[in-house]
Amino acid sequence: MAAFLAKRLGYYAVLLLVAICLSYLLASLALDPRAYYEGRQPPLSPSAVDHHLTVLGVNDHTPLLTRFTSWAGHAVRGDLGQTIDGASVDAEFGRRIGVSLRLLLLGSILGTVIGVLAGAWTAVRQYRLSDRTVTLISFILLSTPVFLLAVLLKIGAIWFNQKTGTDVIEFTGEKTPGLDSGFLAVLKDRSVHLLLPTVSIALGTIASYSRYQRSTMLDVLGSDYLRTARAKGLSRRTALLKHGLRTALIPMSTYFSFGFLALFTGATFTETIFGWHGMGEWFVSSIGKNDVNSVVAVNAFAAVLVLLSGFLADVLHAALDPRIRNA
């Protein structure tokens, strides 16, 4: 198992390096930082535009390989360069990463756990009313775009607050500006602000994972080893939990890593709609400004998350599958 995980970790490290390099090259080819400065009012002289682009290391008059080499040399030393407005990418990255991680980790954990349990629960109740109800709700959620779901949640929160006469559910920002009433009050305030964005992310994940988990669970319900476990005296619940669910989780572990990228994409809309100043919001604004260095930094963050989730999926796979654990 240790050899398997070490091999996979090395594989992911190479993939991460390739992803970051390709991200820089594609961002440099697709974005046009010169247009950002040429569109300023009052207009800048051509020499001033060139000066700004050269300082940022994104001057398109400099060969791409030279720009990439210079950027990579600084990135290895922990310097991701400057944003197109002249601020430090490292500082912006550090300020936003905690915001996105709070949102993504909580939403993904809730979505994964509830989705897996819902899928297994509906599988053992195939074609019953509960199964059909969960299936209908899942398909509705899967067919609803993330941004529309977030807007609907926001409208629902406004309606609820108006009906109750108090701001029970907050839906803008990650905290109340200027609040300083002790640790518990701050924790409560942040939790209230975190509720709707987390639900927005978790709902889609629950719907998706529950469908896959239901399918894999149905595959193992009629298996010989499950009947053997029942024949040895295990109760149906124990046989399903100990042998059925465990086996059905093995193919799901691979899906977890691929699902995380979709989760990050959904978080981009969620952050923008709920006013969270995280990596997703930064990514959208950076593309609008043709900010190469910032786009590469966000892409690197997404690549690290996806590959980290892939490694955690491998750990889960190895823990569930004795063929890998004993190899």
Side-chain angles (χ1 to χ4, degrees):
M1 179 176 172
F4 167 75
L5 293 178
K7 183 178 178 181
R8 297 295 290 178
L9 194 59
Y11 172 71
Y12 287 134
V14 174
L15 275 183
L16 177 62
L17 186 62
V18 172
I20 292 175
C21 292
L22 283 178
S23 175
Y24 183 88
L25 296 176
L26 290 174
S28 298
L29 291 172
L31 300 179
D32 185 12
R34 181 176 293 277
Y36 175 78
Y37 284 103
E38 289 180 340
R40 279 191 165 185
Q41 293 295 334
L44 298 175
S45 66
S47 60
V49 172
D50 274 332
H51 171 73
H52 284 295
L53 295 176
T54 302
V55 169
L56 298 178
V58 294
N59 193 332
D60 54 345
H61 293 164
T62 305
L64 178 57
L65 184 59
T66 304
R67 280 181 275 157
F68 172 70
T69 306
S70 174
W71 176 85
H74 287 86
V76 168
R77 296 192 292 272
D79 180 9
L80 295 175
Q82 293 178 301
T83 69
I84 202 160
D85 297 318
S88 167
V89 172
D90 289 350
E92 195 72 14
F93 191 96
R95 187 173 67 84
R96 292 176 179 268
I97 188 172
V99 177
S100 289
L101 283 180
R102 280 197 298 276
L103 195 60
L104 284 170
L105 288 180
L106 188 57
S108 61
I109 290 173
L110 282 176
T112 302
V113 173
I114 297 175
V116 167
L117 293 177
W121 185 69
T122 53
V124 297
R125 290 167 172 76
Q126 188 181 21
Y127 302 138
R128 295 184 186 176
L129 179 60
S130 54
D131 177 34
R132 295 180 188 278
T133 304
V134 173
T135 298
L136 176 63
I137 295 173
S138 298
F139 283 145
I140 292 175
L141 290 174
L142 287 172
S143 60
T144 306
V146 176
F147 62 87
L148 178 58
L149 185 62
V151 171
L152 291 175
L153 287 171
K154 205 168 180 177
I155 293 173
I158 294 172
W159 174 84
F160 186 80
N161 287 344
Q162 289 176 343
K163 286 293 182 183
T164 57
T166 57
D167 292 336
V168 179
I169 304 175
E170 297 287 351
F171 46 83
T172 302
E174 57 173 321
K175 62 182 179 181
T176 301
L179 179 66
D180 185 17
S181 303
F183 174 76
L184 291 179
V186 171
L187 181 63
K188 179 184 176 184
D189 179 69
R190 284 184 174 269
S191 300
V192 170
H193 282 82
L194 187 60
L195 178 62
L196 278 192
T198 302
V199 171
S200 173
I201 289 178
L203 283 179
T205 309
I206 292 171
S208 176
Y209 284 172
S210 67
R211 294 302 86 203
Y212 280 98
Q213 183 62 47
R214 180 182 182 276
S215 177
T216 57
M217 194 70 185
L218 286 175
D219 288 339
V220 304
L221 285 179
S223 59
D224 292 337
Y225 60 85
L226 208 56
R227 282 194 290 270
T228 302
R230 293 293 308 277
K232 288 183 176 179
L234 291 181
S235 66
R236 185 169 185 267
R237 177 189 295 271
T238 304
L240 285 175
L241 291 177
K242 189 174 180 181
H243 299 286
L245 182 59
R246 179 175 182 149
T247 306
L249 277 173
I250 293 176
M252 284 294 294
S253 62
T254 305
Y255 182 67
F256 291 151
S257 56
F258 293 105
F260 207 85
L261 185 58
L263 197 67
F264 179 74
T265 305
T268 300
F269 294 105
T270 303
E271 287 181 1
T272 304
I273 291 171
F274 288 103
W276 279 56
H277 306 303
M279 303 294 279
E281 184 203 51
W282 189 23
F283 183 66
V284 174
S285 66
S286 298
I287 289 180
K289 293 179 179 177
N290 289 298
D291 189 345
V292 174
N293 291 335
S294 297
V295 169
V296 175
V298 179
N299 282 338
F301 170 74
V304 169
L305 286 184
V306 170
L307 297 180
L308 183 60
S309 65
F311 180 70
L312 293 176
D314 287 335
V315 173
L316 178 62
H317 194 174
L320 294 172
D321 194 341
R323 294 170 297 181
I324 294 177
R325 191 168 60 249
N326 300 326

